[in-house]
Amino acid sequence: MPQALLAHEPVIRLGAFASVLIGMALWEALAPRRPQAIGRARRWPGNFGVVVIGTVLVRLVFPVTAVGTALLAESRGFGLLHAIRAPAWAAILAAVIALDLAIYLQHVLFHAVPVLWRFHRMHHADLEFDVTTGVRFHPIEMLLSMGIKLAVTAVLGAPPAAVPLFEVLLNVTSMFNHGNVRLPPRLEGVLRSTLVTPEMHRVHHSVAPSETNSNYGFNLAWWDRLFGTYRAQPAAGHERMTIGLEQFRDPRELRLDRMLLQPFREP
């Protein structure tokens, strides 16, 4: 099983990424939640450009993937879950939940620490909110995130099967909860009791700092409620709220070169 995971992990991740991206883009085109003043042709090249550059950079800098780290930890019996000898199903479930908590805490950290915020703010500087916002992360933030993920995977002793499962879930839910889509209110209310929905995460992309610093979760909605960072709705309402950051309102900031240099420039 570990060998099969290593062999097919890229195909599984790419297949999930492409299918969800296409599905969400079609959903947004057919039934958008909010009208967009800035079209896809102006925003999408930069958003896709940074994820391509970041993915290549991560592969060049880190010779070992998170799955490889999990396999190494398993072979040496290293990590918390190996120490307590949890059953396989329980270890996989615990690892997925723990990795999701780590992503939540990392997200809070990238908002709280000024030097980290400089890289993360590029994600928030998108002037619209749609499926491509969910992949718009600065390449250096992607490098830092991978380093954190490798460390958490090793300390946990995460089972190799749990890592690609979590990574696929993270990619899928990131694109879903950044979607410019509308769910039936009753269904949305049920889903957000457990999962982060687009209505919930859109609040996090508000221009108002008190709303930007809320709803940090990507997968599970529990962490925001548990740690007191949950906000149900934006003050201005979803239709009238302003997306982005006050410091970067010029549409020229959507160009790939300006996105890459944004952390090193003053607003």
Side-chain angles (χ1 to χ4, degrees):
M1 185 176 180
Q3 299 304 323
L5 285 170
L6 281 177
H8 300 295
E9 180 207 3
V11 175
I12 293 170
R13 291 186 61 181
L14 182 59
F17 174 85
S19 58
V20 173
L21 175 65
I22 293 169
M24 291 298 299
L26 289 173
W27 188 0
E28 290 178 341
L30 294 172
R33 175 67 171 87
R34 287 164 43 102
Q36 294 191 341
I38 302 175
R40 295 177 173 185
R42 189 154 194 183
R43 295 177 45 254
W44 282 23
N47 288 359
F48 284 125
V50 289
V51 74
V52 170
I53 293 170
T55 300
V56 171
L57 192 60
V58 166
R59 291 296 183 184
L60 290 174
V61 172
F62 291 99
V64 179
T65 65
V67 175
T69 301
L71 287 168
L72 182 62
E74 182 181 60
S75 69
R76 300 187 178 182
F78 182 81
L80 177 63
L81 294 174
H82 294 300
I84 62 177
R85 299 182 181 277
W89 67 267
I92 291 173
L93 180 62
V96 168
I97 293 174
L99 285 166
D100 193 61
L101 173 59
I103 290 294
Y104 168 86
L105 295 174
Q106 174 191 311
H107 196 175
V108 173
L109 188 68
F110 272 67
H111 276 251
V113 178
V115 68
L116 297 178
W117 170 246
R118 278 184 168 266
F119 295 103
H120 183 63
R121 74 185 182 191
M122 194 207 73
H123 174 68
H124 283 266
D126 200 349
L127 297 177
E128 300 287 0
F129 181 88
D130 68 12
V131 61
T132 66
T133 312
V135 300
R136 175 192 161 118
F137 293 94
H138 196 279
I140 293 179
E141 179 178 1
M142 293 176 68
L143 285 175
L144 295 171
S145 296
M146 177 57 76
I148 293 170
K149 188 192 302 180
L150 294 180
V152 174
T153 298
V155 171
L156 276 177
V163 176
L165 174 61
F166 174 74
E167 290 186 325
V168 169
L169 284 173
L170 183 63
N171 286 337
V172 167
T173 55
S174 181
M175 288 186 286
F176 167 70
N177 60 43
H178 285 87
N180 183 29
V181 296
R182 184 192 303 271
L183 294 170
R186 184 172 296 180
L187 174 61
E188 198 277 334
V190 171
L191 284 178
R192 79 157 60 194
S193 65
T194 303
L195 302 174
V196 177
T197 64
E199 296 285 283
M200 179 177 169
H201 194 69
R202 191 178 297 110
V203 179
H204 182 70
H205 282 259
S206 166
V207 75
S210 62
E211 295 174 351
T212 305
N213 295 312
S214 69
N215 295 9
Y216 293 99
F218 271 91
N219 286 325
L220 297 173
W222 308 336
W223 310 124
D224 284 297
R225 291 179 171 86
L226 180 63
F227 292 105
T229 55
Y230 175 70
R231 193 179 187 101
Q233 301 293 336
H238 285 281
E239 289 78 9
R240 291 178 297 168
M241 68 180 287
T242 302
I243 299 293
L245 298 174
E246 287 285 4
Q247 301 97 319
F248 298 99
R249 306 305 303 173
D250 189 335
R252 290 180 299 174
E253 297 294 340
L254 299 171
R255 285 174 17 200
L256 178 59
D257 60 328
R258 296 182 73 87
M259 290 166 64
L260 292 172
L261 293 173
Q262 190 193 99
F264 310 104
R265 294 187 289 115
E266 294 302 323

